[in-house]
């Protein structure tokens, strides 16, 4: 079992719709959770971080965390063609090895 | 401008050669990291360092070496022992013990290495 799992996609949504990206993780000790956006050929860009159960909103983005189910998600409201990218989920234990473990990413396509 | 710089952007290596990838940050971050990304894959950790003159192996350290002589710099050497080095190499940094950030990592623009 991979430590961090994401559906590779592509996830295709029409412009203006809500895109829902999901991530599960296997290490129950994980405490910090991050979403990165990566455009083709570019480096990842941090867009959201979440540390507590529940929802965290930032503009059109909402991160949702459920530690009991070991599940973190990212919602993108009013999706735009410029949101088309690969979204990487990453987790961190906050103890011991303090380095992120990444999923392989979900490719999102927003259709105009 | 604060940020992370990596050089070169593109690098071509002949088989049997060692090459060194540069990573510099002026964010005053304590921790620095090297990741490798292969096409269609996530990021895999090569090495990381949380303090000057100390570093730890990541998941795929074989065939790589690093040094951390200055807080700002964390160069990665890809040695001839690395069997399949063609990949996109990403350097990142993060603050440590900074209230509220919990090891948020920020990435440089990357170096694309191709073995000829």
């Amino acid at each position: 079992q991979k430590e961090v799992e994401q559906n590779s996609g592509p996830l295709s949504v029409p412009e203006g719709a809500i895109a829902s990206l999901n991530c599960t993780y296997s290490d129950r000790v994980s405490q910090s959770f991050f979403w990165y956006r990566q455009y083709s050929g570019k480096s990842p860009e941090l867009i959201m971080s979440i540390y507590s159960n529940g929802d965290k909103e930032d503009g059109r983005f909402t991160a949702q965390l459920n530690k009991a189910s070991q599940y973190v998600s990212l919602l993108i409201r009013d999706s735009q063609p410029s949101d088309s990218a690969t979204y990487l989920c990453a987790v961190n234990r906050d103890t011991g090895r303090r380095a992120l473990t990444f999923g392989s990413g979900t490719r999102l396509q927003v259709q105009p | 401008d604060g940020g992370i710089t990596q050089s070169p952007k593109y690098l071509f290596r002949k088989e049997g050669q060692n090459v060194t990838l540069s990573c510099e940050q002026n964010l005053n971050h304590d921790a620095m990291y090297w990741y490798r990304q292969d096409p269609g894959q996530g990021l895999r950790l090569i090495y990381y360092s949380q303090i000057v003159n100390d570093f730890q192996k990541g998941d795929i350290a074989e065939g790589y070496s690093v040094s951390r002589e200055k807080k700002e710099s964390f160069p990665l050497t890809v040695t001839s022992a690395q069997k399949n080095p063609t990949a996109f190499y990403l350097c990142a940094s993060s603050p440590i013990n900074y209230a509220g950030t919990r090891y948020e990592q920020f990435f440089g623009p990357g170096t694309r290495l191709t073995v000829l």
Side-chain angles (χ1 to χ4, degrees):
Chain A
Q1 181 187 9
K2 289 184 180 178
E3 291 187 57
V4 180
E5 294 211 51
Q6 296 180 255
N7 188 319
S8 62
L11 172 66
S12 185
V13 299
E15 184 174 355
I18 296 175
S20 178
L21 304 162
N22 304 315
C23 172
T24 58
Y25 60 95
S26 61
D27 189 347
R28 289 192 169 275
V29 183
S30 298
Q31 294 294 327
S32 304
F33 306 87
F34 306 92
W35 283 100
Y36 287 83
R37 177 176 62 199
Q38 186 175 27
Y39 292 112
S40 181
K42 302 296 185 182
S43 62
E45 173 193 7
L46 179 66
I47 55 172
M48 288 290 286
S49 56
I50 187 167
Y51 311 117
S52 305
N53 280 329
D55 295 359
K56 178 182 177 182
E57 187 174 317
D58 184 0
R60 295 187 296 113
F61 298 103
T62 298
Q64 299 174 318
L65 175 60
N66 184 326
K67 289 185 179 180
S69 299
Q70 295 176 241
Y71 177 94
V72 58
S73 65
L74 179 70
L75 301 178
I76 306 175
R77 290 182 299 281
D78 188 23
S79 296
Q80 301 297 309
S82 59
D83 294 325
S84 297
T86 297
Y87 289 80
L88 301 169
C89 173
V91 304
N92 190 335
R93 286 180 158 203
D94 281 8
T95 59
R97 188 179 101 164
R98 291 171 178 165
L100 298 181
T101 301
F102 284 83
S104 57
T106 298
R107 188 157 63 95
L108 173 66
Q109 294 177 340
V110 181
Q111 307 294 336
Chain B
D1 269 343
I4 304 170
T5 58
Q6 291 186 243
S7 62
K9 187 173 181 180
Y10 298 97
L11 184 58
F12 298 91
R13 189 194 93 171
K14 292 181 180 178
E15 287 203 24
Q17 282 183 336
N18 292 356
V19 292
T20 297
L21 282 58
S22 169
C23 178
E24 304 276 334
Q25 55 98 1
N26 61 5
L27 300 168
N28 199 32
H29 286 171
D30 293 292
M32 297 186 74
Y33 310 82
W34 275 105
Y35 294 90
R36 167 182 172 143
Q37 187 175 36
D38 294 282
Q41 304 287 320
L43 279 66
R44 292 184 291 167
L45 182 66
I46 304 173
Y47 268 99
Y48 67 106
S49 169
Q50 297 186 55
I51 194 170
V52 173
N53 292 323
D54 187 45
F55 47 83
Q56 287 77 40
K57 292 181 179 180
D59 299 317
I60 54 164
E62 185 175 352
Y64 300 98
S65 66
V66 294
S67 63
R68 186 89 187 274
E69 297 177 359
K70 299 185 301 181
K71 186 176 183 178
E72 304 79 22
S73 178
F74 192 41
L76 174 74
T77 297
V78 184
T79 75
S80 57
Q82 171 47 237
K83 298 305 178 188
N84 186 21
T86 294
F88 189 36
Y89 289 87
L90 290 156
C91 178
S93 70
S94 71
I96 292 184
N97 297 327
Y98 186 87
T101 64
R102 306 280 279 275
Y103 307 104
E104 289 179 343
Q105 290 185 18
F106 302 91
F107 286 85
T111 292
R112 202 165 294 277
L113 172 64
T114 302
V115 173
L116 303 174

